[in-house]
Amino acid sequence: MSLKAQLEAIIYAAETPITLEQMTQLVKESAVADGAADDAEIKSRVRSSLEELVGEYGSPSHGIEIRQVAGGYRMSTKPEQHEVVRAFAKSLKPPIRLSLPSLETLAVIAYKQPVTVPEINEIRGVDSGGVIGTLLDRKLITTAGRKQVIGRPILYKTTKEFLMRFGLKDVNELPSMEEFEKLVAESFQAELIPAESAVAEESVAPAEPEVVESSSEAEKAG
């Protein structure tokens, strides 16, 4: 992979502006393997590649640009594209908020589908009936007929919305359980509402709600 491609990927993935020094350290090993003699030469190569990237993204054919912000580099929408991006943002659905029990149940369904509620309960060791409704409402799971056993319990499976949320082509692309747990944590980190925390907040809520900022309101304000 070229140095410029590496820098492009780093800037794209960075949540905050990333400095020249940080990028130099990140690509140091590959730069040395590519023939860089010392730190000064590595930094020079990084600076040169960054200038090329900034120039390329500055052309009218790109809707985003690489800018220097707060001492670092970051990608941002070009001013002339703000309106179309704003319209797109307004069209997005509100973020999905799931409790820990819902996430656990979703994982069981993803790996055992099609699966019934009794089977889910046996795996989790607790009643999962309540969270099934939540997952159905969020369109992350759907019904898949009934199992041909006594009582004919409903079978559940994941949906296209589930695949889209986790960036999967199909269920055959599901990672290992360990990787899936990490993916869940990353995808829902900012949206997670632990059931225990929610109950605790309700129990200590003061009589005058206008002087207390809920967790969801704090997220919006942030």
Side-chain angles (χ1 to χ4, degrees):
M1 181 184 293
S2 71
L3 177 59
K4 188 163 63 175
Q6 288 180 318
L7 298 176
E8 181 181 25
I10 291 170
I11 296 171
Y12 173 78
E15 295 184 0
T16 57
I18 185 165
T19 67
L20 174 64
E21 289 70 22
Q22 287 175 310
M23 285 185 279
T24 299
Q25 289 302 312
L26 289 170
V27 302
K28 184 175 182 178
E29 185 175 335
S30 60
V32 170
D34 198 37
D38 51 35
D39 289 350
E41 184 176 350
I42 295 173
K43 192 169 185 178
S44 177
R45 290 189 183 190
V46 170
R47 184 180 287 107
S48 177
S49 294
L50 280 172
E51 291 175 355
E52 289 183 28
L53 275 175
V54 171
E56 290 175 7
Y57 275 94
S59 70
S61 62
H62 288 279
I64 58 178
E65 61 186 351
I66 295 178
R67 300 174 54 204
Q68 282 189 274
V69 179
Y73 292 82
R74 76 177 305 170
M75 285 186 173
S76 61
T77 305
K78 288 184 176 179
E80 58 267 32
Q81 307 300 336
H82 284 181
E83 288 304 317
V84 68
V85 173
R86 185 176 293 111
F88 168 70
K90 289 181 178 179
S91 72
L92 295 176
K93 298 178 181 179
I96 294 177
R97 300 182 184 280
L98 294 175
S99 66
L100 286 172
S102 294
L103 289 176
E104 292 174 358
T105 302
L106 179 60
V108 173
I109 294 173
Y111 283 90
K112 300 295 184 180
Q113 61 186 310
V115 63
T116 66
V117 171
E119 291 169 336
I120 297 170
N121 292 344
E122 183 177 354
I123 294 172
R124 293 190 62 229
V126 294
D127 183 14
S128 303
V131 296
I132 290 293
T134 298
L135 297 176
L136 287 169
D137 290 342
R138 300 295 191 273
K139 302 187 185 305
L140 294 172
I141 64 170
T142 188
T143 56
R146 290 179 178 275
K147 191 168 186 176
Q148 299 305 308
V149 297
I150 297 176
R152 301 184 67 242
I154 297 174
L155 290 163
Y156 294 94
K157 65 179 181 179
T158 54
T159 63
K160 181 179 179 180
E161 180 72 19
F162 168 84
L163 297 176
M164 291 174 61
R165 167 64 64 165
F166 291 99
L168 302 172
K169 179 181 178 181
D170 53 46
V171 293
N172 293 323
E173 286 193 344
L174 279 170
S176 67
M177 182 61 77
E178 292 76 14
E179 292 172 330
F180 180 79
E181 290 175 351
K182 181 179 179 181
L183 184 62
V184 166
E186 293 174 349
S187 299
F188 293 95
Q189 184 75 36
E191 302 160 12
L192 190 63
I193 303 180
E196 295 84 355
S197 297
V199 172
E201 288 174 3
E202 290 177 1
S203 65
V204 299
E208 297 179 5
E210 65 273 14
V211 299
V212 176
E213 189 176 51
S214 69
S215 59
S216 59
E217 291 171 340
E219 291 172 359
K220 294 178 181 177

